[in-house]
């Protein structure tokens, strides 16, 4: 269920835009923010498993950051096992799907924690927050279904044109 | 990495005015350094001394261990705060001038950069807009394989889109073993590309630190910290 194909398909335009924007918040160091962005990029399939990453300088230019900062972030991702260096072809994304799954889980829990923290700051209790989330999820699922139906139709049309 | 620039007790007076007051500073190779300070804090004076255009009243500055002179000028690529090309010169004349003056000038690189800027080399300087003039100069300065780049207000006179282009050009083209010093008061635009910052205030060094450290320690951007330090 976690094949490379599936990854690529999951890189929705929305995520691509998020990744490519490289918007940094001002109250943290930049390197950890880059780490998180590239993690998201890997999880979303923007940087597919086993693919080569652009060079440090190319990435630095793209993100508009200092090459040393980019280097630091990539070293951290290497330490996490998400990237590895190949002598001939630069840095490559790991092919270890279990590692990716773990990361995905960890990042998902971060989002969940943020959600409950945010709701708590509004004075909404945990169980109520959970109810609201479930209600919102079921509401958006039905909306999503119709949206993806439209998308599927468009894709089919495109394929036909290509053929 | 070694030290590329060292200032010891560096002082410069213009008559009664003290522009630099006993500055102690050491810059390492391979860094991008922001020289930050309000107007009149001594940024340009410092850069002019380091590039050998002014001589200090007291103290000294050493570039790679040598006092500014012909030897250091061959290793230092300097972007002045105003243009020194004459109005009648064509962009291609400026290119010739650089190729003639500097052994480390990479003409192919300069041509590529001018091409990507969409600048016609046969145009004369006076027909170019201020922003384009600045871009031409930066392209020439960044086309040198220098050990030290001294850029005095490279983003001062240009619009935000051109600023991005200029920062992009700097990141893309600086020599990795070289150090880039960028003086500016437009901090928020450039702090992402800096390793270190130097805060100058009234000719003295108020603080030197790495951008990462400032952000970690204060939970604020360098721009915000700067506004606090230099609050009027």
């Amino acid at each position: 269920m976690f094949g490379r194909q599936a990854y690529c398909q999951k890189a929705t335009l929305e995520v691509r835009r998020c990744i490519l924007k490289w918007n940094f918040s001002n109250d943290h160091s930049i390197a950890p923010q880059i780490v998180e962005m590239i993690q998201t990029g890997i999880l979303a399939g923007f940087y597919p498993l086993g693919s080569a990453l652009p060079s440090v300088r190319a990435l630095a230019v793209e993100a508009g950051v200092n090459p040393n900062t980019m280097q630091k972030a990539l070293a951290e991702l290497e330490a996490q096992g998400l990237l590895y260096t190949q002598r001939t072809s630069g840095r490559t994304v790991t092919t270890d799907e279990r590692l990716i799954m773990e990361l995905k889980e960890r990042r998902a829990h971060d989002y969940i924690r943020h959600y409950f923290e945010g709701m708590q700051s509004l004075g909404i209790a945990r169980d109520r927050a959970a109810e609201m989330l479930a209600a919102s999820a079921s509401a958006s699922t039905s909306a999503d279904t119709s949206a993806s139906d439209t998308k599927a139709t468009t894709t089919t049309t495109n394929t036909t044109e290509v053929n | 990495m070694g030290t590329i620039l060292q200032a010891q007790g560096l002082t410069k007076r213009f008559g009664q005015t003290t522009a630099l007051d006993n500055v102690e500073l050491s810059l390492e190779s391979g860094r991008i350094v922001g020289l930050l300070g309000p107007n009149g804090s001594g940024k340009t004076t410092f850069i002019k001394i380091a590039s050998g255009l002014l001589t200090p009243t007291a103290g000294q500055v050493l570039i790679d261990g040598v006092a500014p002179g012909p030897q250091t000028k061959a290793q230092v690529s300097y972007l002045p705060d105003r243009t020194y090309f004459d109005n009648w010169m064509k962009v291609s004349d400026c290119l010739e001038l650089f190729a003639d003056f500097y052994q480390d000038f990479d003409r192919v690189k300069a041509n590529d950069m001018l091409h990507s800027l969409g600048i016609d080399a046969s145009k004369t300087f006076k027909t170019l807009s201020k922003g384009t003039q600045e871009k031409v100069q930066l392209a020439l300065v960044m086309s040198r394989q220098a050990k030290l780049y001294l850029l005095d207000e490279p983003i001062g006179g240009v619009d935000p889109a051109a600023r991005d282009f200029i920062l992009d050009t700097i990141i893309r083209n600086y020599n990795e073993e070289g150090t880039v010093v960028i003086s500016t008061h437009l901090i928020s635009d450039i702090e992402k590309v800096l390793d270190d910052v130097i805060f100058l205030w009234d000719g003295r060094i108020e603080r030197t630190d790495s951008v990462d450290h400032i952000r970690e320690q204060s939970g604020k951007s360098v721009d915000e910290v700067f506004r606090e330090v230099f609050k009027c």
Side-chain angles (χ1 to χ4, degrees), chain A:
Chain A
M1 86 185 204
F2 254 103
R4 255 170 93 168
Q5 287 288 312
Y7 265 115
C8 298
Q9 283 161 9
K10 275 179 193 157
T12 59
L13 191 64
E14 206 53 40
V15 175
R16 274 167 195 264
R17 275 206 206 103
C18 282
I19 309 277
L20 289 174
K21 249 196 284 173
W22 298 102
N23 276 340
F24 297 102
S25 114
N26 275 334
D27 39 8
H28 301 290
S29 312
I30 290 161
Q33 298 185 56
I34 298 176
V35 168
E36 207 166 289
M37 286 171 192
I38 295 182
Q39 280 181 351
T40 311
I42 293 172
L43 291 177
F46 184 67
Y47 301 120
L49 297 191
S51 69
L53 217 63
S55 71
V56 174
R57 199 177 279 228
L59 281 170
V61 168
E62 190 184 311
V65 301
N66 185 298
N68 291 327
T69 311
M70 184 55 75
Q71 176 73 41
K72 211 160 125 186
L74 295 182
E76 169 62 23
L77 288 162
E78 265 180 26
Q80 292 176 3
L82 292 169
L83 301 180
Y84 59 95
T85 306
Q86 278 184 327
R87 231 175 306 155
T88 46
S89 58
R91 283 191 179 77
T92 310
V93 181
T94 181
T95 47
D96 185 346
E97 291 184 5
R98 231 177 77 195
L99 201 66
I100 301 286
M101 284 295 276
E102 281 169 19
L103 172 67
K104 195 166 214 167
E105 199 117 311
R106 220 169 39 237
R107 291 288 304 275
H109 280 293
D110 283 345
Y111 281 124
I112 294 169
R113 195 168 41 82
H114 282 147
Y115 171 72
F116 282 114
E117 278 170 6
M119 292 306 261
Q120 197 181 16
S121 74
L122 299 176
I124 297 170
R126 219 182 152 77
D127 44 354
R128 177 69 192 128
E131 278 169 29
M132 287 170 78
L133 184 62
S136 162
S138 57
S140 55
T141 311
S142 47
D144 268 358
T145 321
S146 51
S148 57
D149 279 350
T150 335
K151 217 182 278 171
T153 327
T154 337
T155 319
T156 326
T157 331
N158 284 343
T159 322
T160 327
E161 276 169 12
V162 173
N163 287 340

Side-chain angles (χ1 to χ4, degrees), chain B residues 35 39 43-44 79-82 130-135 137-138 151-167 170 182-187 189-190:
Chain B
L35 183 61
N39 298 320
K43 302 187 294 288
T44 296
L79 180 78
D81 58 348
R82 67 187 68 175
K130 186 172 191 288
T132 308
Q133 290 184 355
E134 292 199 14
K135 286 183 197 166
Q137 286 208 93
L138 185 80
L151 313 179
D152 198 355
E153 290 286 0
I155 57 172
V158 299
D159 64 73
R163 269 175 216 169
D164 285 347
F165 182 87
I166 284 174
L167 291 178
I170 294 170
I182 305 174
S183 97
T184 189
H185 50 259
L186 299 166
I187 301 168
D189 284 321
I190 71 158

